[in-house]
Amino acid sequence: MDHGHALRFGVLLGAGGDVVERARLSEELGYDVVSFRDEGAELDVWTLLSWVAARTSRIRLLAGPVAELGNPAVLARAAASLDLLSGGRVELALDGSGGGTSGAPGEAIGVGPRGEAVDVGPRGEAVGVGPRGEAVGVGPRGEAVGVGALGEAIDVIRGIWAANVRAPLHFDGRHHRVSGAERGPAPAHDIPLWLAAGAGPDALRLAAAKADGWLLTAPGVEPAATGALIAEEAVAAGRDPRELRRLAIVTGRFQPTPGITPGGGHEAFLAGPPGRWVADLLPLIDDGAVTTLLLATDDEDTLRRFATEVAPALRAATTTGQHPGHRPARSVFARRHRREGIDYDAIPPALTEQAVEPGDAAFARVRSTYLRGGSPGLVLRPGTPDEVSQAVRYARTQPVKLSIRSGGHGISGRSTSNGGIVIDVSRLNAIEVVDKATRRVRVGPGARWGEVAAALAPHGWALTSGDYGGVGVGGLATAGGIGWFVREHGLTIDHLRAVDLVLADGSQVHADDEENAGLFWAVRGAGANLGIVTAFEFEAHEGGDVGFAQLVVDATDTAGFLRRWGAAMEAAPRDLTSSLIIGQARPGQPLIAQIMAVVHSGDAETIINRLQPIAAAAPLLDHSIQVLPYEAIMQVPHGPHDAQGEPVTRAALADHLTPELAAAAARLVASGRTYFFQVRSAGGAASDVAPDATAYAGRSANFSLVAFGPGRRALDELWDGMLHHFSGQYINFETDLRPERVLEAYPEPTLRRLRALKRRYDPANVFRDNFNITPSDP
């Protein structure tokens, strides 16, 4: 009976003595799971699990069977925390065969807003389940856990793990209450929740309805018969029986000849040579569908003999878990969150392991981006170019929006959705030096620019990119790339020498100045419209130390400050690049602006000389100037994004900060309709490139401007009145979707050429959830 689950072998060790070394030995011997007996333990099992997690790297950590449930919300957080710390290796088993719970007789266990225990008061009698599954009452100290109480505990545990649900957890049960508890943390993976039980129908029914599997602990229980009962109950509960994994704890002794039962009529179970063990255990696997065997022993010789003589023989004697066409059924707890319009069963097998659905624990970490909240129906995370091809071929058959994500940091990038499919290429993050002589570097789209800077630093190289190291390579390197070296070394795309690309039909192509030259032209500025880049080849430039300055100035005279700073930047040597940010004024205080600047030099005198003109643009209130390696200013911590809502921005390129533009920008800032106004310097080497050399057409611009506002209409009203001051558009900062923005970014004849390429490479407009260039005129 093969349900598609991989065959696994584990160990159940006593929690004392040199148990940590035995756990490490178990990992070395190839065991898949380690657990610890709580009865008579010298050590606290949860503390032991944490230490074993730190001393091992692969073996999975089975917590339980937990008999003393106590506060299930606390238990859920402990398991999730250990899962995060161990890299997704935790499994949890609850004791359904007569464990205990805290609390007074018949008293409900409540949970407060932060998971703390609260006094709820008596809730009447409870019905429990005994060692053989029979109904029992709660004793004077609440020692027997009822099936009802255990079922409620499972609900609370799953509720805490559901960190993708933004609302607090409320649960009003007979035995457990939760009053607005914060959910999370989200585990690193979907923690399997096993129910340890005998053959009692109530416990088996609960396992079939709410657990991920059944852990057989009672000796003499026939797994085939109980498995049939669980399957029947699973169907009654609306589940596919293939979802449920069967586990069993076994123990025995190796001896030269088979042992005899005390009555003398039968050979003893698991008493004899390795061949006898194989014969005894094989029916559990083939007939009882048991796919995880936990060997209970502390004997090192038994651990070694089972791992080297029994486990390999069992794998060779069964086909369970080895049939390529058999895959475990998705859990009902994940399926119930699926979105309409997506054929989840058609996901290519190569993508299923890394795919994230709304019901998965990992969904909380992939649903949103840096500034945009989302709730996609499916996130595919391919790890190779071939898998990207499969993802595109699959996604184009689904009648939902397709979004592409590299780092998820983009302002304008629609790399999430509501109910759509996201292809997340963050796993394609390799950084490789291809040729030291030419400084040729191959970079995956999922790498972050801080990682690129760190990888290039030992060679004395750098790559001009953005101004924040957490940004992903893919989105920036297909749009432009205005970074700290832009005036000296141009845009990021100006250092791009070749790409590997997956097109809308799933085919893979290489593009450079000679091969697919038209496509390569388009990738540099409009790449998101034509495919998914799976590898970039850049030519790095010289790196080294930089002067990094942060200047705080009084921007009360906003227009004058902008004029003076703009003029200073246009006159500055190219080794200086800077940007400014103006927020909202605070009552009774001057309007503050912050200037951040980078000088590509480690010489203090040069740095000061470069900074003085921009520092004189407004009264200086504070400053910090450091000499740092370039990679140091790009190293920023980055973790999962959890934005909510939609950013509202307007963006533009300007050739000069004219008095008229400066005055209009000052009015915008004073209006209160923007809470974040930024101007970045550009020009220099970026303007040395001809406007038609790449799809990025804004070569004449010396400045890039962006404003964030609380509301679309209010911001648009003022910004639209400033359009005549601008010369172009930088697509990575713009969130206005009106078609005029496309023409601003790609003026004719650039747009006409791009439409022709779109018709050739993506006529169905598969890649459209972006700054979309349609195949034909709108």
Side-chain angles (χ1 to χ4, degrees), residues 532-564:
I532 302 175
V533 176
T534 57
F536 297 86
E537 287 192 14
F538 295 103
E539 183 178 310
H541 56 79
E542 294 295 330
D545 287 347
V546 299
F548 179 62
Q550 295 171 287
L551 313 176
V552 180
V553 301
D554 182 340
T556 301
D557 177 14
T558 307
F561 163 56
L562 291 173
R563 289 196 313 271
R564 289 187 290 271

Side-chain angles (χ1 to χ4, degrees), residues 190-221:
D190 293 311
I191 297 177
L193 201 158
W194 318 124
L195 189 63
D202 289 341
L204 296 179
R205 189 174 295 114
L206 179 62
K210 295 193 175 185
D212 295 301
W214 162 58
L215 174 59
L216 174 62
T217 59
V221 173

Side-chain angles (χ1 to χ4, degrees), residues 251-563:
T251 187
R253 64 182 183 279
F254 289 106
Q255 58 189 44
T257 59
I260 304 299
T261 58
H266 304 282
E267 291 184 347
F269 185 69
L270 298 185
R276 180 70 256 167
W277 283 56
V278 173
D280 286 345
L281 293 174
L282 196 57
L284 291 180
I285 299 169
D286 287 344
D287 301 331
V290 172
T291 54
T292 298
L293 291 172
L294 295 174
L295 175 63
T297 185
D298 290 308
D299 180 67
E300 185 175 317
D301 183 64
T302 300
L303 286 173
R304 291 184 182 277
R305 295 196 68 181
F306 188 92
T308 58
E309 300 180 57
V310 176
L314 285 170
R315 292 189 190 279
T318 184
T319 60
T320 293
Q322 302 179 44
H323 194 287
H326 288 185
R327 287 185 289 169
R330 286 285 286 162
S331 166
V332 67
F333 309 113
R335 295 201 314 271
R336 65 172 52 142
H337 295 282
R338 287 177 165 178
R339 304 292 292 269
E340 293 184 2
I342 298 176
D343 185 355
Y344 292 91
D345 293 334
I347 299 173
L351 302 176
T352 54
E353 184 176 348
Q354 291 292 333
V356 182
E357 298 182 16
D360 293 336
F363 188 71
R365 293 186 290 275
V366 301
R367 64 178 300 170
S368 299
T369 61
Y370 177 64
L371 290 173
R372 181 171 277 102
S375 185
L378 177 65
V379 179
L380 299 174
R381 299 188 291 183
T384 67
D386 286 343
E387 290 179 0
V388 174
S389 294
Q390 293 183 54
V392 170
R393 290 191 182 103
Y394 164 76
R396 65 175 294 148
T397 67
Q398 306 301 301
V400 297
K401 181 182 292 186
L402 171 62
S403 306
I404 313 301
R405 179 188 302 168
S406 56
H409 193 276
I411 295 172
S412 68
R414 266 69 69 179
S415 53
T416 189
S417 66
N418 181 15
I421 294 174
V422 174
I423 297 179
D424 182 332
V425 296
S426 59
R427 295 177 60 219
L428 280 75
N429 59 359
I431 304 168
E432 175 189 6
V433 174
V434 177
D435 186 345
K436 290 186 177 181
T438 60
R439 297 196 293 266
R440 185 68 68 93
V441 184
R442 187 176 176 87
V443 182
R448 310 278 182 147
W449 285 109
E451 297 165 347
V452 174
L456 299 185
H459 304 280
W461 306 341
L463 259 175
T464 182
S465 57
D467 58 9
Y468 180 75
V471 173
V473 167
L476 183 141
T478 53
I482 301 175
W484 290 123
F485 293 132
V486 61
R487 301 184 69 250
E488 183 178 21
H489 293 289
L491 303 172
T492 304
I493 60 174
D494 298 334
H495 293 264
L496 188 56
R497 299 294 177 260
V499 294
D500 291 336
L501 194 72
V502 172
L503 300 177
D505 62 358
S507 62
Q508 300 179 47
V509 298
H510 180 82
D512 56 27
D513 281 329
E514 297 181 356
E515 183 179 357
N516 296 308
L519 186 60
F520 185 55
W521 170 87
V523 164
R524 291 171 292 170
N529 273 275
L530 296 164
I532 302 175
V533 176
T534 57
F536 297 86
E537 287 192 14
F538 295 103
E539 183 178 310
H541 56 79
E542 294 295 330
D545 287 347
V546 299
F548 179 62
Q550 295 171 287
L551 313 176
V552 180
V553 301
D554 182 340
T556 301
D557 177 14
T558 307
F561 163 56
L562 291 173
R563 289 196 313 271

Side-chain angles (χ1 to χ4, degrees), residues 652-685:
L653 297 174
D655 290 354
H656 309 287
L657 291 184
T658 62
E660 294 78 14
L661 174 54
R667 288 192 293 272
L668 173 68
V669 170
S671 72
R673 299 185 188 185
T674 177
Y675 57 84
F676 179 99
F677 177 71
Q678 183 182 42
V679 186
R680 301 178 183 217
S681 61

Side-chain angles (χ1 to χ4, degrees), residues 12-298:
L12 179 61
L13 305 174
D18 56 352
V19 61
V20 176
E21 292 307 313
R22 290 198 300 277
R24 295 183 66 193
L25 173 64
S26 299
E27 181 173 72
E28 293 172 8
L29 291 171
Y31 285 98
D32 302 295
V33 185
V34 63
S35 187
F36 304 99
R37 292 189 297 273
D38 205 3
E39 302 86 359
E42 298 176 16
L43 303 171
D44 173 73
V45 171
W46 277 100
T47 305
L48 174 60
L49 280 166
S50 300
W51 184 238
V52 170
R55 299 294 302 277
T56 57
S57 61
R58 177 193 56 82
I59 199 164
R60 300 183 74 83
L61 310 162
L62 174 54
V66 178
E68 294 291 335
L69 278 175
N71 188 325
V74 173
L75 176 62
R77 290 196 173 99
S81 298
L82 183 57
D83 195 54
L84 288 167
L85 293 171
S86 66
R89 292 191 282 146
V90 169
E91 302 180 7
L92 179 61
L94 304 181
D95 189 353
S97 61
T101 183
S102 60
E107 183 180 85
I109 300 172
V111 184
R114 286 174 292 278
E116 73 276 13
V118 297
D119 183 11
V120 178
R123 299 287 296 167
E125 73 285 356
V127 177
V129 61
R132 292 175 299 280
E134 73 277 11
V136 297
V138 172
R141 291 178 300 277
E143 64 270 19
V145 177
V147 167
L150 190 55
E152 290 181 8
I154 292 174
D155 291 340
V156 171
I157 290 169
R158 292 197 186 280
I160 291 293
W161 287 345
N164 58 299
V165 179
R166 299 194 185 278
L169 177 62
H170 292 270
F171 186 86
D172 187 15
R174 175 173 181 147
H175 309 280
H176 298 285
R177 284 183 176 179
V178 180
S179 302
E182 296 176 7
R183 300 177 191 264
H189 82 309
D190 293 311
I191 297 177
L193 201 158
W194 318 124
L195 189 63
D202 289 341
L204 296 179
R205 189 174 295 114
L206 179 62
K210 295 193 175 185
D212 295 301
W214 162 58
L215 174 59
L216 174 62
T217 59
V221 173
E222 174 55 51
T226 52
L229 177 58
I230 283 184
E232 180 182 334
E233 294 294 341
V235 171
R239 301 183 67 182
D240 187 332
R242 295 176 302 161
E243 297 176 27
L244 298 162
R245 184 187 281 274
R246 279 79 176 227
L247 304 85
I249 298 174
V250 299
T251 187
R253 64 182 183 279
F254 289 106
Q255 58 189 44
T257 59
I260 304 299
T261 58
H266 304 282
E267 291 184 347
F269 185 69
L270 298 185
R276 180 70 256 167
W277 283 56
V278 173
D280 286 345
L281 293 174
L282 196 57
L284 291 180
I285 299 169
D286 287 344
D287 301 331
V290 172
T291 54
T292 298
L293 291 172
L294 295 174
L295 175 63
T297 185
D298 290 308

